[in-house]
Amino acid sequence: MIKPLARQFFMRVSYDGSKYSGVRWNPLKKTVESTIDKFFETYVGKQRCSLRATSRTDKGVHAASNILHLRIKDPTRAINIDHLAYLLNHYLWKEEEDIRILELIETPFFRHPVELIKQREYVYRFAIFKEILVPVSKNTTVNTVRTQALPKQGLGNIFHEKSCVTLSPPFSVDKLLESAELLSGTTNIYNCTTSDGHREMERKKMGNKSYVRDIQVEVVRGHPMLLDLQPQLADKLEFWEIHFKSQSYINKQIRRMVGLMVGYAKEEYSLEFLKKVLSGQSLSHDDILTLHRPYATFSMPPQGLFLKNVELDNEMMEEASLRNPYIDLLANLSHLNFILHKNRTTCSSKPVTLKDLTQKTQAQLSEKINLNDLTLKNKGKDAKDFSLVKTDLGVVKVSIY
């Protein structure tokens, strides 16, 4: 059996986003990736592995279950998945990090991580004050009540300041449910992202059609996490959750969609205006001023947002244990790519070509990599091809140009 020269794993993690500047690696900030990467740099070696998040979360956004892609490049290293997860959790606990490894799963080495993701589910949690909790004089304006008498929107309450957002009245749950029906289904999210999101879409050359997404939106009743310790708050607050299910998202999409729903429930936007924003057409200058006017809700704070789950494609995941001629061929090509990489000169970062290998003997190649599972047959000094063998598909010829 031919084994690939690199092994891939999915690392399911949970973390408190309030302590990290997002999940993706950033050399100038502390992120979830950079924190875990320190462990592998110490115990595995920086050049022998790579780590990359499959689902991006911004600063302050939490994850109940996110997935990071781990690639081990050392073919000789034996990996005990359970032991590695235990060591990593112990390291994170010792460093007082708010990250935990839930499980490690080996994935097919020939599959790109994006192919294995079926859909992602997010949850936004918030609480609504049922009534004004402090006496207010008749001359007090609504804006004064919101900024002085009640906790400021987004700061949370006494036991949810890092995981829930509090909203002050007025608030209509019926309008919240109505907006959820409007957003659910095929939705154009062009106006639900930032300039960074638009630049990312242009860089990927996705086109305007990619803004049309299939999204499932559901509003359900939530509950306080510490109800037993503070039961008196249950009579003063209503907890709600908005669940989002989709294959992919763009920058700040969910927080802005929740902002539109909350703004409509707080009677800051009309139904016609909400439909116009979700139509995907470019907004006028007056419409933009309406979205960004003082005391209006557009983009919600990050602390109420959780990445609940990243669902995997089980059929593709099971391919990791399958053996067939096609997979053996891919493993052979993985060997060949590794050989080309290992035999490059130290003074140049450019990989060698198959033609360069014709100048080396098999003994010279064996100095850098074990060729027990792969045979490269050089057909003469001026050979125009190599033959990759050891596959049930027969001899595979790779031409040199």
Side-chain angles (χ1 to χ4, degrees), residues 16 18 60 62 98 155-156 159-164 303-304 306:
D16 180 357
S18 59
H62 316 287
D98 294 333
L155 291 185
F159 58 87
H160 279 290
E161 61 180 287
K162 290 184 178 181
S163 60
C164 187
Q303 60 264 31
F306 291 77

Side-chain angles (χ1 to χ4, degrees), residues 132-356:
I132 296 177
L133 306 180
V134 295
V136 179
S137 64
K138 295 181 179 180
N139 297 327
T140 304
T141 63
V142 175
N143 291 339
T144 305
V145 171
R146 182 179 297 173
T147 57
Q148 295 182 5
L150 293 175
K152 292 182 180 179
Q153 178 173 308
L155 291 185
N157 57 66
I158 191 170
F159 58 87
H160 279 290
E161 61 180 287
K162 290 184 178 181
S163 60
C164 187
V165 173
T166 51
L167 303 174
S168 54
F171 192 94
S172 171
V173 175
D174 292 335
K175 288 191 173 183
L176 183 71
L177 297 173
E178 184 182 358
S179 63
E181 293 182 5
L182 183 63
L183 269 68
S184 189
T186 303
T187 307
N188 193 311
I189 57 175
Y190 181 84
N191 295 315
C192 297
T193 186
T194 61
S195 56
D196 290 338
H198 291 305
R199 281 193 292 268
E200 182 179 351
M201 298 292 281
E202 292 176 2
R203 186 170 62 252
K204 294 180 178 179
K205 298 180 180 179
M206 301 289 286
N208 292 331
K209 291 183 179 180
S210 61
Y211 286 100
V212 179
R213 306 290 178 91
D214 184 35
I215 307 171
Q216 300 177 42
V217 184
E218 183 182 9
V219 179
V220 299
R221 288 295 297 265
H223 58 85
M225 295 180 180
L226 302 178
L227 182 60
D228 293 338
L229 297 181
Q230 294 174 323
Q232 69 275 11
L233 288 178
D235 298 330
K236 298 178 173 61
L237 293 169
E238 280 187 0
F239 290 85
W240 289 90
E241 296 177 353
I242 305 178
H243 293 247
F244 293 85
K245 290 183 179 180
S246 183
Q247 204 280 329
S248 61
Y249 306 84
I250 55 179
N251 191 31
K252 290 185 173 58
Q253 172 192 334
I254 296 179
R255 289 165 56 189
R256 292 203 167 184
M257 292 181 75
V258 175
L260 290 171
M261 296 173 65
V262 170
Y264 179 61
K266 294 172 72 63
E267 301 179 354
E268 296 172 351
Y269 307 123
S270 64
L271 182 60
E272 290 72 21
F273 180 78
L274 194 62
K275 290 180 178 179
K276 185 176 183 179
V277 173
L278 297 175
S279 66
Q281 58 182 307
S282 299
L283 301 178
S284 66
H285 179 68
D286 292 337
D287 293 335
I288 294 175
L289 291 179
T290 301
L291 284 174
H292 296 281
R293 69 187 188 277
Y295 304 109
T297 307
F298 181 38
S299 184
M300 293 291 284
Q303 60 264 31
L305 184 58
F306 291 77
L307 175 53
K308 181 180 178 181
N309 186 36
V310 179
E311 185 179 346
L312 303 178
D313 189 315
N314 292 329
E315 291 186 4
M316 287 190 178
M317 290 294 294
E318 290 175 356
E319 291 178 345
S321 59
L322 298 178
R323 304 306 310 174
N324 60 50
Y326 172 69
I327 296 177
D328 287 342
L329 172 61
L330 292 176
N332 265 320
L333 294 176
S334 174
H335 277 269
L336 178 60
N337 182 63
F338 186 78
I339 292 171
L340 294 174
H341 177 77
K342 282 294 183 181
N343 282 274
R344 64 185 180 182
T345 58
T346 56
C347 60
S348 173
S349 59
K350 184 180 179 180
V352 298
T353 64
L354 284 170
K355 188 174 182 179
D356 296 330

